[in-house]
Amino acid sequence: QVELVESGGGSVETGGSLTLSCSVSEFTYCHVDMRWYRQAPGKEREFVSTITHSGRTNYADSVKDRFTISQDNAKKKVYLQMNSLKPEDTAMYYCNSRDDTIPSLGCRGSSYWGRGIQVTVSS
């Protein structure tokens, strides 16, 4: 079972920065990408950013040009550098590891989640 542990959250003022880290216990041979999601109180969980095993990245429009996702495959860590933070970035942030769906290889599209870490941005 793949385990993920987030760290680096906390409280900052508007305009501040935080870097989240996600430690992954293993990458399966089906692994395709890592993602960050967030969930604010009373709202649905939303996509923040993704990075493929080869390093391709993508971001939600709301965080583009402010957040940067990166990874260290050797250390099995994924990072989310968050700059110019706004109160609307306040949420629980979750790390997610996704497997591809390739039935012939036994890859079933499994998805693994961390427990989340709180980020609070005060105005």
Side-chain angles (χ1 to χ4, degrees), residues 10-16 84-90 119-123:
S11 298
V12 295
E13 295 184 348
T14 296
S84 302
L85 283 162
K86 306 174 181 179
E88 50 263 45
D89 294 318
T90 295
V119 170
T120 302
V121 184
S122 58
S123 57

Side-chain angles (χ1 to χ4, degrees), residues 2-113:
V2 177
E3 296 183 350
L4 295 84
V5 179
E6 301 95 340
S7 61
S11 298
V12 295
E13 295 184 348
T14 296
S17 298
L18 281 174
T19 299
L20 303 183
S21 298
C22 175
S23 294
V24 188
S25 62
E26 64 175 293
F27 290 127
T28 71
Y29 66 88
C30 302
H31 176 74
V32 64
D33 64 27
M34 296 292 301
R35 298 185 171 204
W36 286 96
Y37 286 80
R38 66 186 182 186
Q39 187 168 18
K43 294 188 176 182
E44 293 189 356
R45 191 171 296 189
E46 65 174 1
F47 167 79
V48 175
S49 183
T50 186
I51 186 166
T52 67
H53 202 66
S54 62
R56 286 201 317 273
T57 61
N58 194 23
Y59 299 90
D61 288 343
S62 59
V63 306
K64 204 170 291 183
D65 299 326
R66 297 189 299 122
F67 290 11
T68 302
I69 191 170
S70 61
Q71 65 189 357
D72 184 330
N73 288 334
K75 294 183 178 179
K76 297 186 181 65
K77 285 185 179 287
V78 178
Y79 306 97
L80 187 68
Q81 172 69 42
M82 305 184 294
N83 298 325
S84 302
L85 283 162
K86 306 174 181 179
E88 50 263 45
D89 294 318
T90 295
M92 187 74 80
Y93 283 71
Y94 296 89
C95 183
N96 170 251
S97 176
R98 285 198 323 135
D99 286 350
D100 208 342
T101 302
I102 309 175
S104 62
L105 296 179
C107 299
R108 297 177 291 181
S110 299
S111 185
Y112 309 95
W113 293 89

